[in-house]
Amino acid sequence: MKILDILREDAKTPYYRIAEKVGIGTTTVHSRIQKLIKEGIIERFTTLINYEKLGYDAFFVLGLSVEPDKIEDVAKKISEYDEVQMVGVTTGAHDIVVEVLGENNKTIGKFINEKIKTIEGVRLNPGSIDISFFTEIYKHTHGIKLVK
């Protein structure tokens, strides 16, 4: 768990540094990480990008109401779009919640009108699509601290 926490914070942490922090040998760290990969606990190593510095200033959450028999199909279709960061089926006010990244409000409007609204099963009546723009993000992570 300690190794996973260290890698979650910085996947580029050298094995010798992990070994120092955990109190085991570098070879042991290497073999444990390889085991975590083999068992599918570590699926991949990734890079966290500051999209705002690349000109993507609009990050928003989209809540969608969908025909009950189309929820899975709609979620799978939405997950194919490059703009989409996360898709989740929910039990809340909407059936599907989507995190989307765009350059600006115009590109987001175009994305919703040309891609989301055209998917069979997405309800288009008032209140069926809710959009919330992030103005500030204080935390956005892909995991929780494993060691207490």
Side-chain angles (χ1 to χ4, degrees), residues 42-58:
I42 296 176
E43 293 183 356
R44 68 180 184 264
F45 294 92
T46 187
T47 302
L48 184 60
I49 298 169
N50 184 330
Y51 290 103
E52 200 170 356
K53 290 186 177 184
L54 294 173
Y56 292 88
D57 294 326

Side-chain angles (χ1 to χ4, degrees), residues 11-89:
K12 288 182 66 176
T13 305
Y15 288 174
Y16 77 87
R17 183 91 15 98
I18 296 170
E20 289 172 356
K21 291 180 179 184
V22 177
I24 58 178
T26 305
T27 305
T28 304
V29 169
H30 179 267
S31 64
R32 289 186 184 174
I33 290 173
Q34 292 308 307
K35 183 178 178 184
L36 291 167
I37 293 169
K38 184 178 179 181
E39 291 178 359
I41 294 168
I42 296 176
E43 293 183 356
R44 68 180 184 264
F45 294 92
T46 187
T47 302
L48 184 60
I49 298 169
N50 184 330
Y51 290 103
E52 200 170 356
K53 290 186 177 184
L54 294 173
Y56 292 88
D57 294 326
F59 189 45
F60 69 100
V61 175
L62 185 61
L64 301 173
S65 295
V66 178
E67 298 297 327
D69 62 332
K70 300 285 187 190
I71 293 172
E72 187 176 343
D73 294 337
V74 171
K76 286 179 181 179
K77 178 66 178 172
I78 291 171
S79 68
E80 295 173 3
Y81 298 127
D82 292 336
E83 299 90 341
V84 173
Q85 304 297 297
M86 185 279 301
V87 178
V89 175

